């Protein structure tokens, strides 16, 4: 049975591992910390790019496939693990957006159910919004997933497979290559033999490839978030205005996000971000001004040029594969990205074109 090592325990690494196991492979997952505790935990969990009409077809193709499969994925994980990822179709309203005409034209072309709505609709849908919004774009089917619970469900599901090994608090330190072919991975506990290796290390992927003498355009981009607690159902839909959003959870928690900061690997929270996020929260939902935030946190996105991920085999090293660089859309694109990668690894005909994500011509040699 083919042995695959996956480096990185975020949503990309875990879903890649699950797809590989479902295809009869043995999988060892190496995670430098705890599974699912980096960007996959820190994000908002909206199952769409924030502005889908701005993106290239490369992103749209992955997003559309993932959106069509997310509900079933979460149902299966819930049934098999007892952990509910809380996939919730609550809809999203873009408020007073300057690109409304472009968004609606895109929706017509893509047959997306985006519609223009007036202020009456907006305040009927979300009665506690701040006054003064005059128009919006409404997508009734958009969902969010409670990403910490999604990651908990994925971890529990993986551990149900006898062919799966999880090594947490284990740093991958080097690739074992013989004759241009992958043979294994050296790590902080020793070595792991492998017929193939998948690098799904998120914001750290560029550094890992750098140790192999390659330049991969993936860098950490910090995002800070704020959490409030209201009554369940108080915010019935997601709302977005001026790049800031509010996301309701089923139990009444409300996420406010997020910042976009190029600050290296710094994951500290800042007073400046707290002030900015609170101002956005109050500007959207004035009642939040009467509440104290529950917690503030930060995570590191794997930034990449144009947000187009790297999915495929690395030229010159047989058996070394990448699934990284999804920038702000990791959770959004994960189901499609992982299916595509594993289709390529197992010789299946992919359900979508692999061309936009291929590695050839997109990495440099040092």
């Amino acid at each position: 049975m083919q042995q695959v090592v996956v480096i990185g325990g975020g949503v990309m690494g875990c879903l890649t591992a699950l797809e590989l196991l479902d295809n009869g492979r043995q999988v060892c997952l190496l995670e430098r910390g705890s599974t699912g505790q980096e960007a996959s935990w820190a994000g908002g969990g909206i199952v769409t790019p924030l502005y889908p009409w701005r993106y290239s077809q490369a992103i749209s193709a992955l997003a559309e496939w993932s959106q069509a499969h997310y509900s079933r994925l979460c149902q299966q994980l819930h049934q098999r693990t007892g952990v509910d990822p809380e996939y919730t179709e609550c809809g999203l309203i873009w408020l007073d957006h300057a690109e409304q005409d472009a968004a609606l034209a895109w929706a017509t072309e893509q047959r997306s159910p985006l519609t223009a709505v007036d202020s009456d609709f907006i305040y009927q849908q979300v009665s506690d919004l701040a006054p003064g919004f005059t128009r919006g774009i409404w997508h009734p089917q958009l969902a969010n997933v409670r990403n910490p619970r999604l990651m908990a469900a994925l971890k529990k599901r993986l551990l149900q497979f006898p062919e799966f090994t999880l090594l947490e608090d284990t740093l991958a330190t080097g690739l074992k290559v013989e004759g241009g072919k992958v043979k294994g991975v050296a790590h902080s506990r020793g070595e792991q033999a492998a017929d193939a290796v998948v690098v799904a290390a998120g914001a750290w992927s560029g550094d890992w490839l750098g140790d192999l003498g390659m330049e991969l355009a993936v860098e950490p981009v910090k995002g800070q978030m704020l959490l409030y607690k209201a009554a369940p159902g108080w915010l019935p839909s997601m709302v977005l205005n001026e790049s800031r959003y509010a996301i309701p959870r089923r139990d009444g928690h409300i996420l406010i996000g997020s910042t976009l900061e190029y600050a290296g690997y710094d994951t500290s929270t800042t007073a400046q971000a707290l002030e900015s996020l609170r101002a956005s929260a109050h500007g959207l939902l004035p009642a939040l001004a009467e509440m104290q935030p529950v917690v503030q946190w930060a995570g590191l996105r794997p930034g990449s040029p144009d947000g187009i991920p790297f999915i495929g085999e690395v030229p010159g090293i047989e058996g070394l594969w990448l699934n990284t660089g999804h920038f702000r859309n990791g959770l959004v694109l994960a189901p499609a990205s992982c299916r595509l990668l594993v289709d390529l690894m197992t010789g299946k005909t992919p359900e979508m074109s692999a061309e936009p994500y291929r590695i050839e011509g997109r990495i440099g040699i040092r």
Side-chain angles (χ1 to χ4, degrees):
M1 183 181 294
Q2 188 183 43
Q3 172 77 48
V4 182
V5 171
V6 177
I7 300 172
V11 68
M12 292 301 162
C14 287
L15 261 182
T16 296
L18 184 56
E19 291 278 357
L20 286 165
L21 290 162
D22 284 338
N23 279 271
R25 271 51 176 182
Q26 284 187 322
V27 178
C28 177
L29 191 150
L30 304 180
E31 166 52 45
R32 62 194 294 275
S34 298
T35 304
Q37 293 299 302
E38 295 289 351
S40 300
W41 180 92
I46 304 177
V47 188
T48 180
L50 288 184
Y51 304 100
W53 55 87
R54 293 180 181 176
Y55 286 93
S56 66
Q57 182 58 29
I59 301 298
S60 297
L62 295 175
E64 290 167 11
W65 195 97
S66 295
Q67 287 166 351
H69 289 78
Y70 238 118
S71 177
R72 180 174 174 80
L73 170 66
C74 291
Q75 288 173 2
Q76 290 177 339
L77 288 172
H78 190 191
Q79 291 167 358
R80 293 171 179 172
T81 69
V83 179
D84 186 1
E86 295 191 8
Y87 177 90
T88 305
E89 289 188 1
C90 58
L92 170 62
I93 307 175
W94 290 263
L95 298 162
D96 285 353
H97 201 281
E99 298 170 10
Q100 179 160 322
D101 291 344
L104 294 173
W106 173 88
T108 299
E109 181 180 330
Q110 298 294 319
R111 299 183 180 179
S112 172
L114 286 180
T115 57
V117 293
D118 60 16
S119 60
D120 289 342
F121 178 93
I122 291 169
Y123 290 99
Q124 288 171 4
Q125 186 67 26
V126 184
S127 59
D128 287 287
L129 271 177
F133 293 111
T134 60
R135 64 177 187 165
I137 312 166
W138 167 240
H139 193 314
Q141 299 168 8
L142 286 183
N144 71 74
V145 63
R146 196 161 185 171
N147 34 308
R149 298 193 179 190
L150 171 66
M151 296 311 302
L154 281 170
K155 179 178 178 179
K156 189 171 183 179
R157 175 64 181 136
L158 289 170
L159 291 170
Q160 293 172 348
F161 286 84
E163 302 85 4
F164 178 73
T165 302
L166 176 62
L167 296 179
E168 295 184 307
D169 299 312
T170 303
L171 181 66
T173 57
L175 188 70
K176 299 294 183 181
V177 180
E178 295 179 12
K181 180 175 174 53
V182 163
K183 293 297 182 180
V185 175
H187 55 75
S188 54
R189 298 190 189 189
E191 293 185 5
Q192 178 66 49
D195 301 299
V197 173
V198 177
V199 178
W204 290 265
S205 298
D207 287 350
W208 205 89
L209 266 290
D211 293 339
L212 298 174
M214 302 178 187
E215 293 184 354
L216 180 68
V218 175
E219 63 177 326
V221 183
K222 182 162 73 171
Q224 298 190 52
M225 304 275 287
L226 208 56
L227 185 70
Y228 289 84
K229 180 64 168 71
W234 179 74
L235 178 61
S237 298
M238 299 177 284
V239 291
L240 187 153
N241 179 247
E242 295 181 351
S243 79
R244 292 286 169 83
Y245 50 77
I247 306 170
R249 300 301 198 211
R250 292 181 188 175
D251 63 1
H253 280 103
I254 298 169
L255 283 73
I256 304 294
S258 69
T259 66
L260 192 69
E261 306 169 53
Y262 290 83
Y265 290 102
D266 173 30
T267 57
S268 63
T269 57
T270 65
Q272 181 181 7
L274 174 62
E275 181 180 351
S276 175
L277 289 166
R278 291 190 73 172
S280 295
H282 304 166
L284 281 169
L285 301 159
L288 294 182
E290 307 301 319
M291 308 177 195
Q292 287 299 314
V294 176
V295 67
Q296 177 187 4
W297 68 85
L300 299 177
R301 312 173 183 91
S304 62
D306 302 319
I308 297 176
F310 299 85
I311 305 172
E313 192 171 21
V314 175
I317 306 180
E318 184 182 348
L320 178 60
W321 299 80
L322 301 184
N323 191 8
T324 190
H326 296 75
F327 204 0
R328 305 188 75 171
N329 295 311
L331 280 162
V332 179
L333 307 180
S337 298
C338 299
R339 176 65 60 83
L340 173 59
L341 177 72
V342 174
D343 281 348
L344 294 171
M345 293 180 71
T346 57
K348 293 183 178 180
T349 301
E351 298 181 39
M352 62 205 81
S353 173
E355 183 65 25
Y357 324 105
R358 66 199 303 255
I359 315 304
E360 289 85 352
R362 300 180 67 203
I363 59 174
I365 305 298
R366 292 180 178 176

